[in-house]
């Protein structure tokens, strides 16, 4: 397969734009309002089941008044005692809800929502950035971020 210089430049430009957007998003939410990143995908599930669960997860998050940005991430799942690297669709969720007053209680609501969703979809973990509300963490790590 031959690839042209123009095609290479387009790929680089696209990846750079994605990286810049993610950096700006994290700069906005990492140390301030806080955020979560969660998926419903499972590497050992059929595509149809993952699609159904992901659509359901998006509705659950929106229904609680939170917005999100779709991303892709990776994880090593335990599948029958063997670690298998999987790529999964994820949602990056800023700690801002249209249905709640945005304060330290909102971050607990988002954390509880992610715990519930994690259990619903048999997830090993979710990512959670407490931002300026890190003292609200059940296990306050003294930092604005905990996985």
């Amino acid at each position: 397969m031959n690839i042209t210089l123009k095609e290479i430049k387009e790929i680089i430009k696209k990846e750079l734009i994605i990286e810049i957007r993610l950096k700006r998003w994290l700069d906005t939410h990492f140390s301030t309002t806080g955020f979560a990143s969660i998926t419903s995908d499972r590497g050992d599930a059929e595509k149809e089941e993952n699609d159904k669960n992901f659509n359901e997860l998006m509705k659950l998050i929106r229904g609680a008044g939170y917005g999100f940005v779709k991303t892709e991430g990776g994880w090593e799942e335990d599948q029958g005692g063997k670690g298998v690297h999987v790529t999964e669709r994820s949602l990056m969720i800023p700690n801002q809800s249209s249905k709640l007053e945005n304060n330290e209680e909102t971050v607990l609501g988002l954390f509880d929502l992610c715990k519930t969703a994690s259990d619903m979809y048999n997830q090993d973990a979710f990512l959670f950035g407490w931002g300026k509300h890190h003292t609200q963490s059940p296990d306050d790590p003294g930092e604005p971020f905990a996985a």
Side-chain angles (χ1 to χ4, degrees):
M1 177 175 130
N2 292 333
I3 189 165
T4 66
L5 181 59
K6 182 179 178 183
E7 290 169 325
I8 291 172
K9 286 181 180 179
E10 282 298 313
I11 291 169
I12 291 171
K13 181 180 175 185
K14 179 181 176 189
E15 291 302 315
L16 183 61
I17 288 170
I18 290 170
E19 188 172 324
I20 289 169
R21 285 181 181 158
L22 180 59
K23 180 179 179 343
R24 184 176 29 188
W25 195 92
L26 286 173
D27 285 348
T28 301
H29 300 290
F30 187 82
S31 295
T32 57
T33 59
F35 72 97
S37 179
I38 191 167
T39 184
S40 58
D41 284 359
R42 292 287 308 174
D44 56 355
E46 295 293 324
K47 180 185 179 324
E48 293 78 21
E49 181 181 354
N50 278 335
D51 288 346
K52 178 184 106 15
N53 289 344
F54 196 68
N55 284 328
E56 195 176 87
L57 176 63
M58 288 188 293
K59 288 178 184 174
L60 177 70
I61 301 301
R62 286 260 194 248
Y66 294 94
F68 55 79
V69 176
K70 294 179 192 176
T71 61
E72 192 173 272
W75 185 255
E76 188 170 295
E77 287 184 359
D78 179 4
Q79 294 182 8
K82 186 173 101 176
V84 177
H85 181 77
V86 295
T87 301
E88 305 169 322
R89 298 166 296 181
S90 299
L91 300 178
M92 297 283 285
I93 310 161
N95 176 38
Q96 296 174 326
S97 173
S98 63
K99 295 187 175 184
L100 299 170
E101 185 177 327
N102 292 301
N103 57 30
E104 60 276 352
E105 291 180 20
T106 315
V107 77
L108 291 173
L110 180 57
F111 186 77
D112 288 342
L113 179 64
C114 289
K115 279 185 7 186
T116 299
S118 182
D119 290 342
M120 283 172 59
Y121 300 112
N122 193 28
Q123 294 300 309
D124 297 325
F126 59 91
L127 222 49
F128 201 84
W130 290 91
K132 65 184 178 185
H133 305 292
H134 62 86
T135 57
Q136 299 294 316
S137 167
D139 302 313
D140 180 13
E143 299 288 333
F145 180 76

